[in-house]
Amino acid sequence: MVQYYDYVLGVIPLVLVGLTALLTLAGLELTAAIPVGAGVAALIIGHALFVNMPTHPTAESADTSQRVNAE
């Protein structure tokens, strides 16, 4: 099952390369397009780390998931 963080890991290089390429094709110099692409990728990483924080499963939630799978 694909989760939020799997999408984040896939989107980071796509944004970095894709946005840099789009900005370069739009006429922005490469030396300016790369920091913009990296900045947007950093914002995505920051969102994943601080806004939608990863959590560790507790023992209670692990027991519940095992009971649901057993049924």
Side-chain angles (χ1 to χ4, degrees):
M1 174 180 236
V2 180
Q3 295 179 348
Y4 171 74
Y5 295 100
D6 297 322
Y7 288 120
V8 169
L9 288 174
V11 166
I12 292 167
L14 289 176
V15 167
L16 181 59
V17 173
L19 186 59
T20 300
L22 282 174
L23 291 173
T24 303
L25 291 174
L28 196 62
E29 291 191 27
L30 186 62
T31 55
I34 290 175
V36 172
V40 173
L43 288 174
I44 293 170
I45 294 168
H47 183 271
L49 288 175
F50 300 112
V51 176
N52 193 3
M53 290 184 248
T55 58
H56 294 290
T58 60
E60 183 177 302
S61 66
D63 291 338
T64 306
S65 65
Q66 289 176 355
R67 279 189 240 138
V68 170
N69 292 335
E71 294 176 356

